[in-house]
Amino acid sequence: MNFRMIKNILGWILIFEAGFMLAPLLTAIIYSEEVFTSYLISMGICLLIGLLFIWRKPKDKTLYSREGFVIVSLSWIFLSIFGALPMFISREIPSYIDALFETVSGFTTTGASIVADVEELSHATLMWRSFTHWVGGMGVLVFVMAFVPLSGGNNMHIMKAESPGPSVSKLVPRVKTTALILYLIYIVLTLLEFLFLICGGMPIFDAINTSFATAGTGGFGVKRNSLLGYSSYIQIVTTVFMIIFSINFASYYLILLRRFKEAFTTEIRTFLGIVIAAITIITLNTVGLFDSVGEAIKHVSFSVASIISTTGFATVDFNLWPTLSRAVLVTVMFIGACAGSTGGGIKISRILIFIKSIAKELSLMLHPKQVRKVMIDKHPVEHEVVRATNVYMVCYVFTFIASVLLVSIEGFDLITTFTSVAATMNNIGPGLELVGPTGNFAFFNPFSKLVLIFDMLAGRLELFPMLLLFSHKTWKK
């Protein structure tokens, strides 16, 4: 284990986090808010520790897969621990566990909150919450790799460990260039949404925060009623961009290269098909609850896009919808977005591989001697990817069950307990019943919050990086 290299990268992460805090710091200056001091102190702490960590450059910059997993896990943990400091120091969130929960929810783009009324928070803290979504959406290490040569030519191990989905490939030969391309696409799409929101009359501060939260598919809002109070135009624009950010960013790169056939993959077609099917079913089931069919389609489309993209914005309280509609929403909670997007959940590509693996096994039972491979887009899926997908699904189920059992110790109703784990592990935000769109997670005790914090991190990092921290083999020399 290359501990010196791990420490060096963690140092760079903290230095970058100090830089990230410039956004809320400038916001505090603009609005003349006292929390300015809290963010300045937190920046100083991050910068000091970061500089101490990178003081001695490691001679050996070699990184293998286990270092990649450890770096990713510890980076996100460090980001969250230090990112919670401003809210705790300012006493806007008096409990450090609550501040940590809010920060982890931000960086993992979950959007689950312990804050009862977000409008009581300072503008600086609202900006920090939303900005953590934007940073965490594409991946902070991907961001750092775009600007800093972390480990020579071994950055792919880091990118694979942090990027969502069953497989990751380079868009161009150099990993650094790939990271830069991804972030350029990310920035352009964020700016595009911001301009559309401004054109719809949204205040600049609200538009910046909403763009950050949508881009990262996080869902932290600046109003207590999320996006309900905004115009239909703004709600429609947000719906469209939630879908856009749910699609694999590699597809946008292929579109820029005019390779349209390669860009429109089976995964994207399946994703859009699920979105349309979910909207249709729920609209038919809830049309009587709205003033018109158009109003029903608008709110249902927004809710489906919000849940399947794992953003978590709301324009209605879908907790009051019929059982079928809520069941469909819970289903798409687990399905999630496309691999290589900023969305959470199990991922469409992983579900496709898993279903095709089942079909393959059933066929082999009938015809044991046949040779059959799992195919996606007319290309065979490597056995390692199929195996990793199957193992992931098993780990996902066991982790989910364990989390539900641990949270259930508090004794809340099963729907609240089940959907609180589903909402955090799939990085969605709202669940049902007590953790529905109009509720929050403040009522859980510190132990349950720590379990849900682990779920948010494990869900964002695709389980394995977090689980490997508990394996003694990971730390052996």
Side-chain angles (χ1 to χ4, degrees), residues 4 26 58 69 80 94 112 126 130 189 196 250 260 262 280 297 299 349 358 394 419 422 445-446 453 467 476:
R4 287 190 177 183
L26 292 173
F69 284 117
S80 302
L126 289 174
S130 299
L189 289 175
F196 272 105
F260 301 108
E262 293 178 57
T280 303
I297 293 173
H299 287 296
S349 58
I358 293 173
V394 174
T419 59
N445 65 29
I453 284 171
L467 294 177
K476 287 176 68 177

Side-chain angles (χ1 to χ4, degrees), residues 335-350:
I335 293 172
C338 299
S341 70
T342 60
I346 294 173
K347 304 291 184 303
I348 299 292
S349 58
R350 190 174 276 121

Side-chain angles (χ1 to χ4, degrees), residues 350-408:
R350 190 174 276 121
I351 289 172
L352 284 172
I353 292 170
F354 190 66
I355 291 173
K356 287 177 178 286
S357 297
I358 293 173
K360 173 189 171 183
E361 291 303 317
L362 291 175
S363 179
L364 286 172
M365 287 180 181
L366 296 175
H367 307 285
K369 294 185 179 181
Q370 74 171 338
V371 177
R372 181 174 173 178
K373 291 189 174 182
V374 173
M375 306 286 287
I376 300 287
D377 291 316
K378 298 181 181 179
H379 297 292
V381 179
E382 294 179 7
H383 174 71
E384 290 76 12
V385 176
V386 176
R387 178 186 55 78
T389 299
N390 294 336
V391 173
Y392 174 88
M393 297 297 286
V394 174
C395 287
Y396 182 94
V397 170
F398 277 108
T399 305
F400 188 90
I401 291 171
S403 298
V404 170
L405 290 174
L406 290 172
V407 175
S408 67

Side-chain angles (χ1 to χ4, degrees), residues 5 8-13 15-16 20 54 57 61 63 140-155 158 174-177 179-180:
M5 193 60 201
N8 182 266
I9 293 177
L10 291 177
W12 278 112
I13 290 297
I15 291 170
F16 269 82
F20 296 150
I54 68 167
K57 291 184 179 181
K61 291 191 174 185
L63 291 179
V140 66
L141 282 158
V142 173
F143 181 86
V144 175
M145 281 190 295
F147 302 100
V148 179
L150 293 180
S151 60
N154 300 296
N155 288 334
I158 297 174
R174 294 185 64 197
V175 174
K176 182 177 179 179
T177 308
L180 191 58

Side-chain angles (χ1 to χ4, degrees), residues 402-411 417 420-421 444 448 451-452:
S403 298
V404 170
L405 290 174
L406 290 172
V407 175
S408 67
I409 294 172
E410 278 206 72
T417 302
S420 67
V421 174
F444 285 112
S448 294
V451 172
L452 297 175

Side-chain angles (χ1 to χ4, degrees), residues 194-254:
F194 172 75
L195 293 174
F196 272 105
L197 293 175
I198 289 294
C199 290
M202 197 178 211
I204 292 177
F205 181 78
D206 295 18
I208 292 171
N209 282 271
T210 303
S211 298
F212 284 157
T214 308
T217 61
F220 276 151
V222 295
K223 302 293 182 184
R224 62 175 64 92
N225 59 358
S226 192
L227 294 189
L228 176 60
Y230 296 102
S231 67
S232 294
Y233 167 84
I234 287 172
Q235 292 173 3
I236 292 168
V237 167
T238 307
T239 301
V240 172
F241 275 93
M242 284 191 289
I243 296 297
I244 288 173
F245 285 106
S246 301
I247 291 172
N248 194 325
F249 276 64
S251 295
Y252 297 130
Y253 179 68
L254 292 172

Side-chain angles (χ1 to χ4, degrees), residues 11 19 31 50 99 110 160 252 261 298 311 353 373 398 473:
Y31 288 94
T110 303
K160 283 184 176 180
Y252 297 130
K261 191 173 181 181
K298 183 190 74 172
T311 304
I353 292 170
K373 291 189 174 182
F398 277 108
K473 292 183 180 179

Side-chain angles (χ1 to χ4, degrees), residues 270-295:
T270 304
F271 173 74
L272 295 176
I274 291 171
V275 169
I276 293 169
I279 291 172
T280 303
I281 293 169
I282 296 176
T283 300
L284 292 173
N285 191 230
T286 62
V287 68
L289 302 177
F290 298 95
D291 296 332
S292 65
V293 175
E295 193 75 5

